[in-house]
Each structure stands twice: as structure tokens, then as C-alpha cells.
């Protein structure tokens, strides 16, 4: 319980809710008649309304990207390392908008919300979503906030996919795109991991084909397993080796006993799984991983990413992490190469890190510096009124 | 149904069973009073009884390494690519002995066998095993077959661990060791994958803490998931990409529909999981993955692999595969470096392959050639009576 919040923190923040009563026609053809969009904002919108930054969250993210919800809050928002006074996304300079995506479980309308048609939770009947559906709903929020153009749209992983889709759907709606640890589409291995995680949830006896709310249970074991599988792909082999090695958390290798040995890495993963399973919604997990699988930036451009990016007008910063094997540096280089071939402005950097895909959330001096420099340039451009 | 078997096949083979009534004190201190060892043999033992090769199997292997069990058999044994007339392990020259390990589910005593103390299946009460317990039981089989020295002991993955343990426990009981796609111990990431697979099995409602036999059920969904997780680590990212890419097996990406899309890679993995779950035993899977986790070649040598290998007298062939990320080429190089530092004879080669860990089972001209050359040398040595 901090007596006061750190000086580089945005401090106490409060989520807001935008109820949207305008129907949203989804990529699947289904229509969401009305929905809530929960979002947080940090910093001040300037008089020209030109300093707004949109944050797009990843699989398990939500609107709470920075600051604290209460004085007792033990943990700040999920990207607090990078959003705050003096941080790369400097709230002394920028007005930051961080929505929870529809289909999520962080307040915006999703599977846990009441389906007006039935009076029961949507559950598995919540429509499948594609990344473009999030772009469309974020666009509604943009209009509501009376923002004509984002100074930048920023996101890591699944968030980076939203950034790229924005750049093609609304080329003039942002000046800059920051795409971190992302990919233009999933590989077969990525899809296979997601499918295995979904099968873990769906195999749980408490899943009830997604109608678990009505049974007052949650598929805790399945969701916990899904998270363990996911978590494994976020961490690098090296990081796990350095953090845990072959250390035991219980039992002993001495001969003459047969009790269960448990390795620290196993205890850690189980703990992570269990913690997640009590705070996240299983139907949302399925929906979000499906959106990841379906995403293919260039599908409607004949599979040609150069043709796709030829529609973009923004300038890009692309960042990857050396030990990320979920979305490897090669995936970011593919994005960069397509942008270059399409004649767009792009800065690309690969950051040395031991922490795999997770690195995009963690403190890292080089990453901070590159990100900060780029955002300073975004700010200078605004001041110059270019 | 082949009218006749291929000429380079060992043809029709029949498993044999050795009932052992001599108690086996396990590394854990527990005692297996009696047990059955099922094994197959191919080729002829020579007059000097010097041409015997021991095959050590991996996680899901069994005694059926080569040939066919019946005229209708659709598939030959698991290492048929490498054992047979004219193949690297040439049955015209060698007498091949392939046991099923205790704790397995291929006929040798394991969790599915009746516990004489209770009259019920052992189930989860089957003692935990270490790799050295397999070495000890294989040693009993060696004595039974009246073999003084193996010409070579050969194994991939978990099988390679048995080969290395043999070389330290009985340094004069073999002339050569062939260690393929193996490691001196698992990494934290390896352990984490195994733990996730075990949790998948143990989370299944039909697991009943391992006492599922009595309930006449099997934890099919959990075992299927465990296999999916394992299988993911056997395949390389590249191999999956080339084989499946982002091809769909059902549904369509066209807008205007919301039916379940399924990727081919997902269908394939689910099929593999389901197939495995009807043929393998869940308690055995748990036991085998634990033995993998526990294995640490140098633990009793102060963690020093050079000190460990100083006890070996055999000559070694060590093979790795370029895209194997379960036991990466680095793990085989660690083995090789320790052998060199210990002043032992070792030949090491890394084979270019797209097929990840699975490559050790698959046909590959370069792998075949290296393996064949080495085994020819083993044979020439025997003929020279060195």
C-alpha cells in the first residue's frame, strides 16, 4: 500500500464507460446491436486535440494500462513501465486512450455480459470477432472523444495487429504506428498452441459448452492449463533456465525416497495458471485466441503484404525481441520489409532480451530508449505543427 | 496388407516375455518383487555372442522396433527405418534386442499390470522410476540372453539417456554407445512442457487420481491433450509451416459467415492426440515424463559431466538434428564436449533436417549414411576380433 504513488506514475485512475447504441456490423456478418466500451485515459488532451495516443491491448490485457485503481492497489496497470510522466509514452505530453476490447472480460461487452435477446450471459453465443471489429469499435470511441487523428496508435502482440489493421482501414486517422512483438499472421505452430489451449478449456467438465455461468461454475482447471500452455510460449528457454534451472520446490533427489519431486518451474507455471483461472473468462480466452488465429493482414490483398501496406499513410516503428519465439524477430522483419517495399517510412529495431515474448511488457533500458526517442520525435512533430 | 514384406524388412516378428522373479531394488529404494520384461529380437546372435545391439526406446516406444506382427499389419515397428537387412542397424550382421521398459504399457510390467499385493492394477502406486532402473532391468535381460558385452547400445531421446547411464554403470558391458537427439538433463522449459502435459492428464475427471482402471474409464481427453502438447515440441516450426501453413480443413474466411473455422494443423494435432489416447496408458505417460525430468547424468558426480564420463569406456556416436528444439543440437554438443574433455572416443554430427525432434525416427539420407558408416565400423571391429 504505497503512501503516495511513484512520481513517474499516472497515479489514481478510474475506468470510464461509453455505452454505444449504434449497431456494429461485424466482419462475420453478425450485428452487435449495442455494447459498452470501457476505457481509461491518462494525461491531457491539448487544445488542438492532436496529442492523443491509442493503446491496443493483447490477449489478456484490459483498459487498465497504467496507474492504480485504489490507494491499496498492489499492482499498477499492465503497461505501467511504458506509460507515465517521463516514460516513453509520456503523459506530460500525450493524452493516452486505453480501451478494453469488445469480447474481453475487463468491463466492455463480451461473453460474460447479458445478451439482451435472451436475458442470459452471451457465453459461447457471443459473436466471433476479427481484429477489424476492434478497430471499428475503437473508431467509435475516437469519434466520441472528438479526436480527428491519433498522434500514434501503439500495441504489442495482438495489439500490434490492431495497429496494422488501423493503418490500412483508416490510413489518415493516425500519424504514427508502433507495432511491437507482432506478426502479419500466425504460423502453423502458433495456431497449434492456441488450439491446444482451447482444447484444454473445452475438455474441462465444468465448461458445459461455454454455458458455465448458468451452472455457477468456471472451467478453472482447463483455463489454468490453457494459461500454462500460453505462458510457456511467452517465456524464452534461456529466461526459464536462468530463473528456475532444475531447482526443486519440494522433495529431494537423494535415493531412498519416492515422494513427489516438484521442480520450481512447475510450481511457478501452476501458480500462474491458477491465478489466471480465477481472474479471466474462459469464453473470452477462446474468442481472443481465435481472433489471433484468423488475423491475416494481407488476406484481402491477394496475400501480398506490400499491396496491403501500400494503403497505409502512417510512419511506423517496428520492434522485436531477440528471444521471442512466439512472434520471432523474423516476423517483425517481414513487416518491415513489406513496409519498405511499399515505400513507407519505417524504423525497425531488434532488442536484445532474455525474456521472450514477455519482453514487450518488461523494463529494458535499450527498448525504453528507442521507444522514448521515437515518441519524442512524434511529439516534436506535433509541436512543429507539421 | 502386404502380400509379402519389403526385402529390407525383418518381416514377421513375435514379442517374447522374460518373467523375472528376482527382486529389483529401485533407485527410489522401493522394491519390485517380480516383473515381466517383454522384448523382441531381430537377426542372429553369432557364435561368439558378440554382435548384440541393445535398443533403448523413448517416451512412447515399446519392444516393437522393427518388422510386422502379422500379415495384416499396416505399420511396421517404430524404428523400422533404421533396423533391418542392409539398414544402419543391419540385421544381416547384428543381433538386435529391443525390450519394452518396465513402467511401460507395451507388455512389460507397469501401471496397468496387476499388483500382487492388492490383486488390482498398480495404477499410480507403480513405483516412480529413474533411468538407471531401466538399465538394471535391461542388464537382467542381458544376463538371461547370455550376452557378455553389447556391440553397441543405441537410443534416441529418453533412449539416449539410458545409453549414457549404461556407459557409466557398466563401462565394460558395451563397446559402443549411440546417443541420438538426447540430453544430459532436461532444461526448465522441457520440464515445464512435461508438467503441463501431466496436469492435463491429472485434470481429467476420468483420471480418478490414477485409479481409472477400476472405474472402467480412461482419461482420454487429458491424455489426448498431453500428447498434443508433447507433439508440438517434437515438430519444428518450419515443418509445421510447410506441412500445414494456414490451410483450413473446415469453414471459410469469406466474410458473411460465422461458422467454426478449423485450421489443418489443429485437425492434425487433435487427430494425433485422440489416436494416442486410445492406445497408450496415462499412468505410464506420467511415469515416463517424470523419469525424463529426474534424469541428470552428472548429479552424483558433483554436477560435473566430465567427471561422470571419465567412468565410461565405450566409444560414442552422438547425433543431433538442426531444427530439434526439444533437445537442441547444443545439448548434443554438451555431451560431445564432456566426452572429449574426459578423453573419450567420440564422433559427433549435426544433421540438417526440417523435422525437429521427430527427425530421429524419420528417413534422411545423410543421417542414414552417418549411422550406417558408424555401424559398419562397429561390425568391422567385431570381425577383426579387436
Amino acid at each position: 500500500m504505497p503512501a503516495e504513488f511513484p512520481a513517474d506514475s499516472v497515479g489514481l485512475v478510474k475506468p470510464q464507460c461509453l455505452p454505444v447504441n449504434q449497431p456494429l456490423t461485424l466482419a462475420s456478418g453478425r450485428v452487435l446491436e449495442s455494447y459498452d466500451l470501457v476505457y481509461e485515459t491518462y494525461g491531457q488532451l491539448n487544445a488542438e486535440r492532436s496529442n492523443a495516443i491509442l493503446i491496443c491491448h493483447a490477449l489478456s490485457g484490459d483498459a487498465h494500462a497504467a496507474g492504480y485503481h485504489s490507494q491499496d492497489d498492489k499492482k499498477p496497470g499492465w503497461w505501467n513501465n511504458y506509460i507515465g510522466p517521463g516514460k516513453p509514452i509520456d503523459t506530460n505530453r500525450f493524452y493516452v486512450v486505453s480501451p478494453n476490447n469488445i469480447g474481453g472480460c475487463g468491463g466492455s461487452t463480451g461473453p460474460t455480459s447479458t445478451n439482451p435477446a435472451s436475458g442470459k450471459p452471451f457465453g459461447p453465443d457471443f459473436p466471433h470477432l476479427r481484429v477489424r471489429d476492434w478497430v471499428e469499435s475503437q473508431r467509435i470511441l475516437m469519434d466520441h472523444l472528438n479526436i480527428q487523428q491519433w498522434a500514434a496508435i501503439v500495441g504489442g502482440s495482438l495489439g500490434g495487429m490492431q495497429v496494422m489493421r488501423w493503418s490500412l482501414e483508416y490510413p489518415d486517422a493516425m500519424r504514427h504506428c508502433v507495432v511491437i512483438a507482432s506478426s502479419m499472421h500466425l504460423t502453423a505452430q502458433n495456431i497449434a498452441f492456441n488450439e491446444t489451449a482451447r482444447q484444454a478449456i473445452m475438455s474441462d467438465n465444468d465448461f458445459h459448452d461455454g454455458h458455465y455461468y448458468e451452472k455457477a461454475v468456471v472451467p478453472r482447471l482447463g483455463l489454468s492449463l490453457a494459461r500454462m500452455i500460453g505462458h510457456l510460449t511467452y517465456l524464452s528457454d534461456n529466461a526459464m533456465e536462468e530463473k528456475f534451472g532444475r531447482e526443486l520446490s519440494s522433495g529431494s533427489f537423494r535415493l531412498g525416497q519416492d515422494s513427489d519431486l516438484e521442480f520450481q518451474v512447475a510450481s511457478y507455471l501452476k501458480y500462474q495458471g491458477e491465478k489466471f483461472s480465477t481472474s479471466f473468462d474462459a469464453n473470452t480466452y477462446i474468442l481472443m485466441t481465435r481472433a489471433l488465429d484468423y488475423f491475416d493482414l494481407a488476406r484481402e490483398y491477394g496475400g501480398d503484404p506490400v499491396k496491403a501496406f501500400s494503403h497505409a499513410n502512417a510512419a511506423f516503428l517496428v520492434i522485436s525481441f531477440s528471444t521471442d519465439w512466439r512472434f520471432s524477430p523474423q516476423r517483425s522483419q517481414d513487416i518491415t520489409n513489406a513496409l519498405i517495399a511499399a515505400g513507407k517510412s519505417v524504423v525497425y529495431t531488434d532488442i536484445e532480451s532474455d525474456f521472450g515474448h514477455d519482453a514487450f511488457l518488461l523494463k529494458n533500458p535499450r527498448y525504453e530508449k528507442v521507444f522514448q526517442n521515437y515518441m519524442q520525435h512524434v511529439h516534436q512533430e506535433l509541436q512543429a505543427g507539421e
Side-chain angles (χ1 to χ4, degrees), chain A residues 273-295:
Chain A
E274 280 161 24
K275 196 176 71 170
F276 187 74
S277 71
T278 59
S279 65
F280 207 78
D281 177 62
N283 282 316
T284 287
Y285 199 86
I286 291 173
L287 180 152
M288 292 277 173
T289 56
R290 283 208 172 113
L292 270 165
D293 288 2
Y294 298 165
F295 183 73

Side-chain angles (χ1 to χ4, degrees), chain A residues 124-182:
Chain A
D125 302 326
F126 195 86
H128 289 190
L129 297 176
R130 309 269 172 99
V131 167
R132 66 176 71 240
D133 297 321
W134 292 326
V135 170
E136 294 307 319
S137 55
Q138 289 158 0
R139 174 84 205 185
I140 303 288
L141 178 60
M142 184 186 186
D143 290 342
H144 166 75
L145 296 172
N146 195 17
I147 292 166
Q148 300 304 310
Q149 191 182 46
W150 301 104
I153 305 184
V154 182
S157 193
L158 178 56
M161 295 172 173
Q162 294 160 56
V163 176
M164 289 186 280
R165 184 60 74 203
W166 259 100
S167 77
L168 307 190
E169 297 297 305
Y170 299 104
D172 300 314
M174 81 293 298
R175 298 176 70 95
H176 294 270
C177 285
V178 181
V179 178
I180 307 173
S182 193

Side-chain angles (χ1 to χ4, degrees), chain A residues 145-357:
Chain A
L145 296 172
N146 195 17
I147 292 166
Q148 300 304 310
Q149 191 182 46
W150 301 104
I153 305 184
V154 182
S157 193
L158 178 56
M161 295 172 173
Q162 294 160 56
V163 176
M164 289 186 280
R165 184 60 74 203
W166 259 100
S167 77
L168 307 190
E169 297 297 305
Y170 299 104
D172 300 314
M174 81 293 298
R175 298 176 70 95
H176 294 270
C177 285
V178 181
V179 178
I180 307 173
S182 193
S183 177
M184 292 188 289
H185 54 69
L186 264 60
T187 63
Q189 190 190 57
N190 291 148
I191 294 169
F193 273 112
N194 282 344
E195 179 64 23
T196 307
R198 286 191 294 267
Q199 287 296 319
I201 293 170
M202 295 191 280
S203 297
D204 189 318
N205 270 34
D206 285 336
F207 183 62
H208 299 288
D209 294 324
H211 296 283
Y212 46 89
Y213 316 104
E214 299 142 58
K215 311 270 181 180
V217 292
V218 287
R220 203 177 53 75
L221 294 171
L223 186 54
S224 175
L225 265 172
R227 179 60 166 186
M228 288 173 72
I229 295 166
H231 208 79
L232 260 167
T233 69
Y234 304 151
L235 299 177
S236 75
D237 196 4
N238 279 352
M240 293 180 91
E241 199 60 24
E242 274 182 32
K243 191 163 178 187
F244 306 108
R246 297 179 49 81
E247 295 298 312
L248 297 176
S249 56
S250 69
S252 150
F253 279 115
R254 276 186 308 124
L255 305 188
Q257 55 87 38
D258 203 327
S259 69
D260 271 16
L261 294 170
E262 182 153 89
F263 290 92
Q264 282 187 6
V265 66
S267 318
Y268 168 80
L269 262 196
K270 278 200 284 186
Y271 169 77
Q272 291 295 329
E274 280 161 24
K275 196 176 71 170
F276 187 74
S277 71
T278 59
S279 65
F280 207 78
D281 177 62
N283 282 316
T284 287
Y285 199 86
I286 291 173
L287 180 152
M288 292 277 173
T289 56
R290 283 208 172 113
L292 270 165
D293 288 2
Y294 298 165
F295 183 73
D296 191 344
L297 188 77
R299 188 186 298 118
E300 71 199 271
Y301 302 94
D304 179 357
V306 181
K307 210 163 147 191
F309 276 129
S310 72
H311 295 264
N313 285 335
F316 286 76
L317 169 64
V318 178
I319 301 178
S320 61
F321 298 93
S322 57
T323 56
D324 185 352
W325 61 280
R326 187 179 176 94
F327 294 144
S328 73
Q330 185 58 55
R331 300 287 85 78
S332 288
Q333 287 156 27
D334 293 343
I335 295 169
T336 305
N337 293 341
L339 282 164
I340 289 171
K344 303 302 164 182
S345 162
V346 55
V347 174
Y348 164 65
T349 184
D350 182 57
I351 303 287
E352 277 289 328
S353 162
D354 268 345
F355 298 99
H357 190 61

